[in-house]
Amino acid sequence: MAVPHLTTALTGPLLELESRILAAQPQIEHWFRSQWNAHAVPFYGSVDLRNSGFKLAPVDMNLFPGGFNNLNPDFTPLAVQAAQSAVEKVCPEARSLLLIPENHTRNTFYLQNVATLVHIFEQAGLKVRLGTLNPQITAPTELVAANGALVTVEPIVRHGNRLTLADGFNPCVVLLNNDLSSGLPELLKGLEQHLLPPLHAGWAVRRKTNHFAAYDRVADEFARLISIDPWLINPYFAHCTGLDFHARQGEDTLAETVETMLAKIAAKYREYGIDQEPFVIVKADAGTYGMGVMTVKHPDDVRGLNRKARNKMAVVKEGLEVSEVIVQEGVYTFESIEDAVAEPVVYMMDRFVIGGFYRVHTGRGVDENLNAPGMQFLPLSFETACLPDRNATPDCPPNRFYAYGVIARLALLAAALELEATDPERD
Amino acid sequence: MAVPHLTTALTGPLLELESRILAAQPQIEHWFRSQWNAHAVPFYGSVDLRNSGFKLAPVDMNLFPGGFNNLNPDFTPLAVQAAQSAVEKVCPEARSLLLIPENHTRNTFYLQNVATLVHIFEQAGLKVRLGTLNPQITAPTELVAANGALVTVEPIVRHGNRLTLADGFNPCVVLLNNDLSSGLPELLKGLEQHLLPPLHAGWAVRRKTNHFAAYDRVADEFARLISIDPWLINPYFAHCTGLDFHARQGEDTLAETVETMLAKIAAKYREYGIDQEPFVIVKADAGTYGMGVMTVKHPDDVRGLNRKARNKMAVVKEGLEVSEVIVQEGVYTFESIEDAVAEPVVYMMDRFVIGGFYRVHTGRGVDENLNAPGMQFLPLSFETACLPDRNATPDCPPNRFYAYGVIARLALLAAALELEATDPERD
């Protein structure tokens, strides 16, 4: 695969930020090691980054990552090794794993992701089977992924406090690749098996604002470590509750929140001499799949929304009603690949970065969310591992990917703190 | 790099053995996980394998591996990830590492190995410096490796019970890449820093027979796990002591040991219908670097050795006198690459296989040791990771390498048992 041609505007502070991250690599890795000593790392995750040339920041953190099929297959051994670490940590005795995918069976690219995950865990030496929460699947069903791979999903049979399959398959570990948007199924409650990620990582419970509150703490500490302004790696955010888009309730509060944030961003832009128009992203706080997302450049943009726009914001995946949103500083995407806007997504398993890809979309602007429903993105897998080359320029692909891997791991660490803080069994 | 053209004789039991290893992959990986739960894995190691077409077995296990420069650079990320695991296990707080290489400064290929190791640990986020035990080096000295890489070795300064460098570099971890053939330096005794591998892994203390005694136990258990004759993965060995090659003392005992073993091998060859001439290898029990090694096909071969042969056997590296030998069943090397005899070497860090290469030598026979002094071998790095492809034939390169990785890990596990059993601080 050819090196992606990146046309990021690289004359501003980001190059400086990347240099600083590179130079501090030993301190950074040491710091991560001590953090993972103090906090349990999530099993896996993916992070959407935005690189504006002056700012490099996470904008979303997924604890049930799809898209493993978009990673460079050359790095599958890295994923396998990381999977061995992850599984060993949870249960050294593990022999078998039940993977619970999303319910939708028609997205053949998603099925390819499932097939890739099965492959990774099989390579790691586990027996892997797929159990589905989809009530329409009542017998083992073979599905065909986009690349022709076959995956067989089977109905889950609960025996006491264990999940099994009809033929007696009795796994030690249950791994969710289903983000539980529609609620926490009774089937998954009170299991004696290891359930990963934990139930409270599901979108029925999880809130983006909890994540970014944890990220604030992580970014502040990291910024002190390498002596930078935390804003360079952290988008502002605010929480807005009590909304009802259908009933047009809470519009003014939302508009005020947007106004305050636009002013804060403008002040930072002036401080750094950035000649861009500030914008914010309004997203469902419990949302996923890029549904319920709006780009806003003026407070009036959220007032008097038309029916279509309100409908779009009012519900996310599986019909979940939106009453809370996160108002997040928008970060321009200044990376492009052959004139198309590109957004990096970094994948991690255990505490290891195992690869990433660019979401590339010609039809979208630099200030828009690239993870939108129906979006036809072209995945362009990173062609090198996220390891630095300190003898090369800061903006060569390996060094850029190292910086991406560092910021993505900060978001992973924030997810660890978030899951600790929201753990219902926490004392 | 092109796929190495392997002309192994693959119609006999090895293909069956490889199939069995492939089919049992989940059980094997589960078994390894539980073994590493019970036994501390050595920090790193390399294993010389011999593949005779009917038998696949380790013939040497190095706890201070050189030759990292011969691994496929495409898999450096695997080594880095494994190094992170290894370091984290020893000391999550580690920031810096002192690497102690061999004393010889003129072997530029060895220096390239050192440069590769430095690179791996730097990539893992450690500050790495080189401290030497060589008394001739009294100031920081820059050396040039075969590929032009620069390495700076510095005299070690001991402060109390810590090793440091003159400018105050005070590492948390001391990693030996020096096999301590010439004895255990006082400098390294009683350190409060983590010293890896431990002193008793050095050849001044270590004995091949201890290793292969431990390997007997490992091979027996593994053979039960996958229901095979342990002989298919385990060469016979015997221990011969009280030898003095110069004084021609112990010749008869050695000849009798050889005779007994040749008879045992012949019986096994008859059992499996193998039409080859049995042979044994006589090696210094504390030897290294392929010195003090003899190929023997008849008991008389070790009687009445001429002066040259006796001198060759009498001393190994750094003038160590040989009074104990291991008599090991010889395993034919039936792998060849373009008419040259090839011997696989597998590298591991922590419990992970991180790559390997073939020692290829046109001038040597199928029954000779390929790791001999002055040997001009061509390293041919494995071109795929040691992960299986269960949809392909057992003898495709990924599957062959998986089997190699399994057998190499058995030897690594044997080294773990050996180090436990020989630990001077063991209660």
Side-chain angles (χ1 to χ4, degrees):
Chain A
M1 177 178 289
V3 179
H5 182 61
L6 299 170
T7 58
T8 312
L10 277 172
T11 48
L14 184 58
L15 200 61
E16 194 189 310
L17 173 63
E18 286 171 332
S19 302
R20 209 175 272 261
I21 287 175
L22 275 181
Q25 193 219 353
Q27 292 94 295
I28 291 172
E29 297 303 328
H30 174 261
W31 180 79
F32 272 122
R33 274 196 296 276
S34 56
Q35 295 296 321
W36 296 133
N37 218 24
H39 305 286
V41 64
F43 189 85
Y44 58 4
S46 69
V47 174
D48 292 1
L49 297 176
R50 305 277 288 200
N51 176 353
S52 69
F54 52 86
K55 182 163 185 162
L56 173 60
V59 295
D60 235 327
M61 203 286 145
N62 191 343
L63 287 166
F64 305 90
F68 276 91
N69 50 311
N70 297 325
L71 303 182
N72 188 338
D74 287 351
F75 296 124
T76 301
L78 276 181
V80 172
Q81 205 168 284
Q84 286 171 329
S85 266
V87 168
E88 195 184 70
K89 193 170 289 174
V90 177
C91 174
E93 286 297 310
R95 289 171 187 273
S96 51
L97 181 146
L98 183 70
L99 182 64
I100 302 184
E102 295 285 345
N103 289 355
H104 44 67
T105 54
R106 288 184 198 155
N107 181 337
T108 57
F109 291 104
Y110 178 72
L111 294 176
Q112 203 175 323
N113 163 67
V114 172
T116 306
L117 278 171
V118 169
H119 178 68
I120 289 170
F121 290 106
E122 281 183 349
Q123 295 276 58
L126 293 165
K127 286 182 188 149
V128 186
R129 303 266 291 269
L130 301 169
T132 183
L133 300 174
N134 186 341
Q136 291 172 320
I137 292 181
T138 55
T141 305
E142 195 166 74
L143 303 169
V144 185
N147 64 343
L150 297 176
V151 294
T152 302
V153 293
E154 306 184 49
I156 295 170
V157 181
R158 180 158 173 159
H159 270 300
N161 289 328
R162 296 188 73 84
L163 300 189
T164 68
L165 296 179
D167 64 1
F169 181 75
N170 193 340
C172 337
V173 176
V174 178
L175 179 64
L176 292 170
N177 196 248
N178 179 315
D179 67 15
L180 307 178
S181 287
S182 54
L184 305 186
E186 285 302 317
L187 190 75
L188 300 181
K189 289 183 183 168
L191 295 182
E192 62 183 54
Q193 287 144 313
H194 297 276
L195 177 67
L196 298 162
L199 284 181
H200 65 285
W203 278 123
V205 181
R206 201 175 166 222
R207 294 293 173 266
K208 287 187 170 68
T209 45
N210 287 333
H211 176 75
F212 283 99
Y215 187 75
D216 274 354
R217 290 156 56 198
V218 170
D220 283 354
E221 191 174 333
F222 181 79
R224 270 197 306 276
L225 181 76
I226 66 165
S227 304
I228 56 164
D229 177 353
W231 179 74
L232 293 174
I233 56 168
N234 192 5
Y236 290 126
F237 82 95
H239 191 194
C240 231
T241 59
L243 297 174
D244 184 334
F245 283 95
H246 287 305
R248 313 191 64 154
Q249 191 180 299
E251 265 186 17
D252 286 336
T253 318
L254 179 57
E256 280 157 29
T257 307
V258 166
E259 188 164 19
T260 308
M261 185 165 296
L262 286 172
K264 281 172 75 179
I265 303 169
K268 274 290 180 191
Y269 278 18
R270 278 192 301 276
E271 181 186 335
Y272 283 95
I274 293 158
D275 187 24
Q276 298 288 337
E277 191 182 1
F279 71 102
V280 301
I281 300 281
V282 178
K283 296 189 269 198
D285 202 15
T288 178
Y289 276 80
M291 296 168 90
V293 175
M294 230 181 344
T295 298
V296 180
K297 295 196 174 175
H298 195 277
D300 291 345
D301 295 353
V302 297
R303 282 197 185 94
L305 291 173
N306 63 28
R307 179 174 300 274
K308 191 179 159 203
R310 282 186 283 130
N311 281 344
K312 191 182 147 204
M313 285 305 294
V315 287
V316 288
K317 197 185 160 204
E318 316 236 3
L320 217 62
E321 281 284 334
V322 174
S323 66
E324 302 182 29
V325 297
I326 179 171
V327 177
Q328 189 180 45
E329 175 190 345
V331 182
Y332 283 95
T333 291
F334 275 6
E335 283 192 295
S336 63
I337 295 169
E338 286 163 14
D339 294 332
V341 171
E343 186 180 79
V345 191
V346 176
Y347 280 68
M348 291 155 293
M349 199 174 283
D350 198 75
R351 63 208 180 285
F352 302 109
V353 175
I354 57 164
F357 65 89
Y358 281 100
R359 270 195 203 107
V360 183
H361 194 328
T362 45
R364 292 247 159 190
V366 292
D367 56 0
E368 284 180 284
N369 185 296
L370 299 188
N371 190 8
M375 191 192 91
Q376 293 298 316
F377 69 82
L378 167 76
L380 177 60
S381 54
F382 291 180
E383 67 127 33
T384 69
C386 297
L387 292 172
D389 179 355
R390 293 168 79 178
N391 297 322
T393 56
D395 61 335
C396 76
N399 286 340
R400 166 126 317 149
F401 293 156
Y402 177 66
Y404 287 180
V406 169
I407 303 298
R409 283 184 287 162
L410 296 180
L412 187 69
L413 179 56
L417 301 182
E418 173 200 350
L419 290 178
E420 276 171 20
T422 57
D423 187 347
E425 287 172 22
R426 189 183 169 220
D427 27 291
Chain B
M1 177 177 288
V3 178
H5 183 62
L6 299 168
T7 58
T8 313
L10 277 170
T11 48
L14 185 59
L15 200 62
E16 193 188 311
L17 173 62
E18 287 170 329
S19 303
R20 210 175 273 259
I21 287 176
L22 274 181
Q25 192 219 355
Q27 293 92 295
I28 291 172
E29 297 301 329
H30 174 261
W31 180 80
F32 272 122
R33 274 196 296 277
S34 57
Q35 295 297 320
W36 296 133
N37 217 25
H39 306 286
V41 64
F43 189 86
Y44 58 5
S46 69
V47 174
D48 292 1
L49 297 176
R50 306 275 290 199
N51 176 352
S52 70
F54 52 85
K55 181 163 185 162
L56 172 60
V59 295
D60 236 327
M61 203 284 148
N62 191 344
L63 288 167
F64 305 90
F68 275 92
N69 50 311
N70 297 327
L71 303 182
N72 188 338
D74 287 351
F75 298 123
T76 301
L78 276 182
V80 172
Q81 203 169 285
Q84 287 172 329
S85 266
V87 168
E88 194 183 72
K89 193 172 289 175
V90 177
C91 173
E93 284 299 308
R95 289 172 187 274
S96 51
L97 181 147
L98 183 71
L99 182 64
I100 301 184
E102 294 286 345
N103 290 354
H104 45 68
T105 53
R106 286 184 199 156
N107 181 337
T108 57
F109 290 105
Y110 178 72
L111 294 177
Q112 202 175 323
N113 163 66
V114 172
T116 306
L117 278 171
V118 169
H119 179 69
I120 290 170
F121 290 107
E122 282 184 347
Q123 295 275 57
L126 293 166
K127 285 181 189 151
V128 186
R129 303 267 293 269
L130 301 169
T132 181
L133 300 174
N134 187 340
Q136 292 172 318
I137 291 181
T138 54
T141 305
E142 197 166 71
L143 302 169
V144 186
N147 63 344
L150 298 175
V151 295
T152 302
V153 293
E154 305 183 48
I156 295 169
V157 180
R158 180 156 172 159
H159 271 299
N161 288 329
R162 296 186 74 84
L163 300 189
T164 67
L165 297 179
D167 65 359
F169 181 76
N170 192 341
C172 337
V173 176
V174 178
L175 179 64
L176 291 169
N177 197 248
N178 179 314
D179 67 14
L180 307 179
S181 287
S182 54
L184 305 185
E186 285 302 319
L187 191 76
L188 300 182
K189 290 182 182 166
L191 295 182
E192 61 184 55
Q193 288 143 313
H194 297 275
L195 177 68
L196 299 163
L199 284 179
H200 66 283
W203 277 123
V205 181
R206 201 175 166 221
R207 294 294 174 267
K208 288 187 170 69
T209 44
N210 286 333
H211 176 76
F212 284 98
Y215 187 76
D216 274 355
R217 289 156 55 200
V218 170
D220 283 354
E221 190 174 334
F222 181 80
R224 268 197 306 277
L225 181 76
I226 66 165
S227 305
I228 57 163
D229 177 353
W231 178 76
L232 293 174
I233 55 167
N234 192 6
Y236 289 127
F237 81 96
H239 191 197
C240 231
T241 60
L243 297 174
D244 183 336
F245 282 96
H246 287 304
R248 313 191 65 153
Q249 192 180 300
E251 266 185 17
D252 286 337
T253 319
L254 180 58
E256 281 159 27
T257 307
V258 167
E259 187 164 19
T260 309
M261 187 166 297
L262 287 170
K264 280 171 76 179
I265 302 168
K268 274 290 180 188
Y269 279 18
R270 277 193 300 277
E271 181 185 339
Y272 284 95
I274 293 159
D275 187 23
Q276 298 287 338
E277 192 181 1
F279 71 103
V280 300
I281 299 282
V282 179
K283 294 189 270 199
D285 202 14
T288 177
Y289 276 79
M291 296 167 89
V293 174
M294 231 181 343
T295 298
V296 180
K297 293 194 172 176
H298 194 278
D300 291 344
D301 294 351
V302 297
R303 282 197 185 94
L305 291 174
N306 64 27
R307 181 174 298 273
K308 192 179 157 202
R310 282 185 284 128
N311 282 344
K312 192 184 148 203
M313 285 305 294
V315 286
V316 287
K317 197 183 159 204
E318 317 235 3
L320 217 63
E321 280 285 334
V322 174
S323 67
E324 301 183 31
V325 297
I326 178 171
V327 177
Q328 189 179 47
E329 174 189 346
V331 182
Y332 283 96
T333 291
F334 274 8
E335 281 192 293
S336 63
I337 294 170
E338 285 162 14
D339 293 332
V341 171
E343 187 180 77
V345 191
V346 176
Y347 280 67
M348 291 155 294
M349 197 173 285
D350 198 76
R351 62 209 181 284
F352 302 108
V353 175
I354 57 165
F357 64 91
Y358 280 99
R359 269 195 204 107
V360 184
H361 195 328
T362 45
R364 293 248 158 191
V366 293
D367 56 1
E368 283 180 285
N369 185 297
L370 298 188
N371 189 9
M375 189 193 93
Q376 294 297 315
F377 68 81
L378 167 77
L380 177 62
S381 53
F382 291 1
E383 66 126 35
T384 68
C386 298
L387 292 172
D389 178 356
R390 294 169 76 178
N391 297 322
T393 56
D395 62 336
C396 76
N399 286 340
R400 166 127 316 149
F401 293 155
Y402 177 67
Y404 287 0
V406 169
I407 302 299
R409 283 184 286 163
L410 296 180
L412 186 70
L413 178 57
L417 301 181
E418 173 199 351
L419 290 178
E420 276 171 21
T422 58
D423 187 347
E425 289 172 20
R426 188 183 170 219
D427 27 289

